[in-house]
Amino acid sequence: MSETKKPKHPGPKSGFRGNRKSTGKPGPKRPGLPPEGPVLLYGLHTVEAAFANPDRKRLKLFATENAQRRLEERGVKVDVPVETMMPRALDRMVTKDAVHQGMILEADPLPAYGVEHLKGARLVLALDQVTDPHNVGAILRSAVALDADAVVTTERHAPEEGPVLAKSASGALDMIKHVRVKNMARFVAEMKDQGFSCIALDSDGPAALEDTPFTEKTVLVLGSEGKGVRQGVREACGLTARLDMPGEIRSLNVSNAAVLSLYVARSKMGL
């Protein structure tokens, strides 16, 4: 995203307002689930997207004078109290290597989207126990770029919403539904009942993704590096496909595989 370009989407598709109340303190860690208390979001694109998302309850902005001017220049409407701070003071609010770009937004976590919020979806990307927040953040960003309707993760063995995930997504966390499900195989079965074709990606799949039949509604399922999509989830999908690589390395990093599979799916579905 260029420095002058605003987020394409005002918020997740068909979003809704949450009703969590801020406790004023970071909530306990619950893997895969939204934290119970406020989260700290930092970085220009992440903060900008959070202000553009009607589903995001914002609490307070901590920012340098330069950062405040930058947000104003980009047309960001700051609708929360602002505390002007020096860069070193902001450094102490986040982890050592965090690139906050002079701004940190305290906000409530996003609402917990569920399967019931996928009505009208056509292209959904599901991640079966992908745990690295950097990978999931990159996948969220790619899903927005390729206009997917949602990214689905498991409640357990998946990163919680937090600053690392949000920063890696570079604003995408506030642009697309991030649905969390208790059981991925059960989710796949439910989506098939709703008319979706569900395709599990596997390097040993019987056919290339390009040669796999698609319907007008599709769920693509990718697994963690090493383990891949679990057997029970593959069986629930019914369809397994591979991404053929012309080089000596047959498999891709899961975030790269997500980009390629979404691109192929869009081409096959005529989106």
Side-chain angles (χ1 to χ4, degrees), residues 143-247:
V144 170
L146 288 162
D147 204 26
D149 294 293
V151 172
V152 180
T153 62
T154 48
E155 288 185 357
R156 298 174 63 86
H157 306 293
E160 66 175 10
E161 179 183 343
V164 176
L165 176 62
K167 179 63 174 175
S168 299
S170 192
L173 188 61
D174 279 275
M175 297 179 185
I176 191 171
K177 286 198 189 92
H178 178 194
V179 175
R180 297 171 175 87
V181 297
K182 291 183 180 297
N183 185 294
M184 185 60 72
R186 188 180 304 130
F187 162 75
V188 167
E190 290 176 5
M191 296 302 280
K192 288 174 71 175
D193 288 343
Q194 295 179 27
F196 281 79
S197 62
C198 298
I199 305 171
L201 274 293
D202 190 296
S203 59
D204 295 322
L209 185 60
E210 295 91 333
D211 300 327
T212 300
F214 280 74
T215 63
E216 62 179 13
K217 299 193 298 183
T218 299
V219 177
L220 295 172
V221 185
L222 282 77
S224 62
E225 294 181 53
K227 293 183 179 179
V229 179
R230 290 172 295 163
Q231 182 178 348
V233 179
R234 288 200 308 272
E235 292 174 352
C237 288
L239 289 172
T240 305
R242 66 179 185 269
L243 291 171
D244 280 338
M245 299 294 108

Side-chain angles (χ1 to χ4, degrees), residues 242-255:
R242 66 179 185 269
L243 291 171
D244 280 338
M245 299 294 108
E248 293 184 16
I249 296 177
R250 295 182 58 201
S251 61
L252 295 171
N253 169 281
V254 65
S255 62

